[in-house]
Amino acid sequence: MASIATTCSSALIFKSKDSGNIKASMLQYNGFRVSKATPLKAMAASTVSPPKQETDPKKRIVITGMGVVSVFGNDVDTFYDKLLEGQSGITLIDKFDASTFTVRFAGQIRNFSSVGYIDGKNDRRLDDCWRYCLVAGRKALDDANLTQQILETMDRTRIGVLVGSGMGGLTTFSNGVEALIQKGFKKITPFFIPYSITNMGSALLAIDTGLMGPNYSISTACATANYCFYAAANHIRRGEADMMVAGGTEAAVNPTGVGGFIACRALSQRNDNPHKASRPWDQDRDGFVIGEGAGVLIMESLEHATKRGANIVAEYLGGAITCDAHHMTDPRKDGLGISSCITKCLEDAGVSPEEVNYVNCHATSTLAGDLAEVNAIKKIFKYTSEMKMNGTKSMIGHGLGAAGGLEAIACIKAINTGWLHPTINQDNLEPQVDIDTVPNVKKQHEVNVAISNSFGFGGHNSVVAFAPYKH
């Protein structure tokens, strides 16, 4: 939910309309009745019969590789180790002169290297958004033991790429507009259009690797990466692909990106203490912190993964997407868009609410968004004593279109390691947040089923579910 997502608080320049008096409970909404005499641990609105997980190996989706570009570097294990340590990657911006900006900090990537993945000539031309995409995508393929030599022995018409971006090549676009205004149209680079449009990450990765399957991008603001996972899984389930390279990429830490979100009044202004700025669910939060990076998964049918002897790190159980149909940036007060999305995700995954014991929350550190998400979670999961939830953005900021990709990797690493990273800066928790947020220190936790939430401007909601792979 955009609202929840990159959300501006209600102080935003757009006036929010009344969401209406919605009295019906989620149970009434879905036409399902529960007897008061039957205590249930948790109940999703439309779970009428016991859910059934997919058993067809052609339709079961497994994760066989992960690739990351982040404020903590380009290695998945290092990325998660830093999260477990509770380290903040939020620092003062030095990518451009931000001295006159009212927000001067971000989850800015430093010392990025594409050596071994992008040749020098292209590296100099490319927007960072596509550099991050290419490196994360290639590293995910490497992690899945899909070197170029191995890929050339496979049917590459059945391997697709779906890496989305919320904003595309924003630096390229900004520079092109500046050239037009200052010097005229003849000074616009021929790469202006190709490196600005959001589909170019998927296209460049396919050109680089020869993958000829389904290829496009999705752009649903900060819900982008989860939308890509959901769509990629459906291509495999429908038999249109055996494998998909899917995720999100973003590079909006530039004057246009930072200035634009300042104009929305969406960002924290804690310039004197950037490490403390991103504080989901804390009463002293004052907005989100912009971040950047890329997170990419190799999603594969179980049948295909088994045949090639792939190392399976987790299983994608299902997902869902919905729309608030309410406001450009503010969340619905009743949380209906989010709660229905969680319900639909559980149905698609074939799991009941009581099986879920970990939520990687969207948790952007905005006033309205954080609580709207928690309220929606509590609608679906009635008893949460065994539930844990955390906010990755407390340490790396909000990666916008890349956020869901980075957080999916955090979910899978939690499944693999048995450790949940903390939500840092939990000093003064909102009283209505009574679910364990893993405050400030990591916790050991055996994940049964994890869901990862991502919401974006426009009211776009997305939820995906992961679990340990079981034969």
Side-chain angles (χ1 to χ4, degrees):
M1 60 168 353
S3 32
I4 288 196
T6 342
T7 169
C8 310
S9 70
S10 50
L12 216 137
I13 37 184
F14 311 114
K15 186 175 180 183
S16 161
K17 63 184 178 182
D18 191 323
S19 61
N21 182 20
I22 299 181
K23 294 182 179 178
S25 68
M26 276 300 294
L27 297 182
Q28 290 169 322
Y29 172 75
N30 284 285
F32 187 70
R33 297 184 181 182
V34 182
S35 165
K36 290 182 179 178
T38 309
L40 297 176
K41 264 192 168 182
M43 178 73 60
S46 56
T47 307
V48 177
S49 57
K52 293 181 180 178
Q53 289 187 32
E54 184 61 67
T55 57
D56 184 346
K58 287 185 170 70
K59 295 182 178 180
R60 283 181 69 181
I61 314 294
V62 292
I63 309 302
T64 57
M66 300 184 283
V68 71
V69 170
S70 77
V71 291
F72 298 134
N74 306 346
D75 178 76
V76 167
D77 290 339
T78 302
F79 169 68
Y80 199 63
D81 286 345
K82 296 288 188 185
L83 292 177
L84 289 178
E85 290 167 14
Q87 184 171 323
S88 174
I90 311 303
T91 54
L92 292 173
I93 295 168
D94 61 13
K95 211 173 198 178
F96 63 92
D97 181 6
S99 59
T100 61
F101 284 59
T102 53
V103 175
R104 297 183 289 278
F105 59 92
Q108 177 190 313
I109 290 174
R110 287 179 166 76
N111 305 315
F112 172 75
S113 173
S114 62
V115 174
Y117 294 99
I118 309 173
D119 69 71
K121 189 175 181 181
N122 280 325
D123 194 45
R124 288 189 295 275
R125 290 173 173 168
L126 281 171
D127 191 280
D128 279 347
C129 191
W130 312 135
R131 295 170 78 219
Y132 298 165
C133 171
L134 286 170
V135 171
R138 289 283 302 276
K139 288 183 81 70
L141 288 164
D142 288 349
D143 188 48
N145 194 29
L146 293 165
T147 62
Q148 193 59 35
Q149 192 173 17
I150 290 173
L151 284 173
E152 287 170 5
T153 67
M154 302 172 78
D155 182 357
R156 286 179 285 177
T157 66
R158 294 192 56 78
I159 307 173
V161 185
L162 183 39
V163 181
S165 173
M167 306 182 80
L170 195 57
T171 297
T172 300
F173 183 80
S174 301
N175 291 343
V177 171
E178 187 175 345
L180 172 66
I181 292 170
Q182 293 185 356
K183 301 176 182 177
F185 78 93
K186 290 184 179 180
K187 293 299 181 181
I188 297 174
T189 170
F191 297 102
F192 171 54
I193 296 296
Y195 287 170
S196 294
I197 53 182
T198 61
N199 63 300
M200 198 49 63
S202 294
L204 290 170
L205 190 52
I207 291 166
D208 199 34
T209 55
L211 304 181
M212 296 174 65
N215 188 295
Y216 56 102
S217 67
I218 293 173
S219 185
T220 47
C222 307
T224 291
N226 274 5
Y227 270 69
C228 291
F229 295 141
Y230 177 69
N234 287 337
H235 282 299
I236 296 170
R237 285 176 171 172
R238 289 196 300 264
E240 298 162 357
D242 296 321
M243 185 190 308
M244 294 291 294
V245 183
T249 185
E250 205 78 86
V253 179
N254 57 36
T256 304
V258 175
F261 283 115
I262 290 173
C264 280
R265 303 182 192 173
L267 299 181
S268 167
Q269 297 194 10
R270 204 178 288 256
N271 292 297
D272 57 339
N273 200 353
H275 287 181
K276 297 285 188 180
S278 187
R279 44 198 316 114
W281 306 301
D282 190 88
Q283 292 185 54
D284 299 319
R285 67 193 184 282
D286 69 328
F288 77 86
V289 176
I290 193 170
E292 59 181 350
V296 176
L297 302 180
I298 305 302
M299 305 177 74
E300 194 168 353
S301 73
L302 175 59
E303 180 182 68
H304 190 269
T306 303
K307 277 182 180 176
R308 73 177 187 89
N311 177 45
I312 296 171
V313 295
E315 182 165 3
Y316 168 92
L317 297 182
I321 56 177
T322 64
C323 183
D324 275 1
H326 168 65
H327 188 266
M328 282 196 294
T329 56
D330 282 347
R332 286 182 69 114
K333 291 178 183 176
D334 59 14
L336 185 57
I338 301 173
S339 55
S340 65
C341 196
I342 295 172
T343 296
K344 289 172 186 289
C345 173
L346 299 184
E347 289 173 349
D348 188 51
V351 300
S352 56
E354 60 265 28
E355 293 177 81
V356 177
N357 65 347
Y358 169 47
V359 182
N360 186 292
C361 290
H362 188 61
T364 58
S365 187
T366 57
L367 294 175
D370 288 6
L371 293 182
E373 182 175 16
V374 169
N375 290 337
I377 288 169
K378 288 162 75 171
K379 273 186 182 179
I380 303 304
F381 305 102
K382 301 301 183 186
Y383 295 90
T384 56
S385 60
E386 302 302 315
M387 174 84 72
K388 306 272 190 258
M389 65 182 192
N390 57 8
T392 308
K393 295 179 183 73
S394 64
M395 289 172 278
I396 65 173
H398 192 346
L400 310 176
L406 295 163
E407 289 158 12
I409 291 170
C411 277
I412 293 166
K413 289 299 290 182
I415 288 168
N416 294 162
T417 64
W419 286 93
L420 301 183
H421 72 68
T423 307
I424 66 169
N425 300 322
Q426 301 282 274
D427 301 328
N428 191 16
L429 198 64
E430 288 280 7
Q432 57 265 62
V433 180
D434 52 8
I435 302 172
D436 186 348
T437 63
V438 195
N440 302 317
V441 180
K442 67 182 181 181
K443 284 188 178 178
Q444 213 161 0
H445 187 64
E446 186 177 345
V447 177
N448 185 44
V449 175
I451 64 170
S452 179
N453 298 338
S454 286
F455 316 118
F457 275 1
H460 303 293
N461 305 310
S462 61
V463 182
V464 291
F466 299 99
Y469 168 64
K470 296 171 184 174
H471 294 279

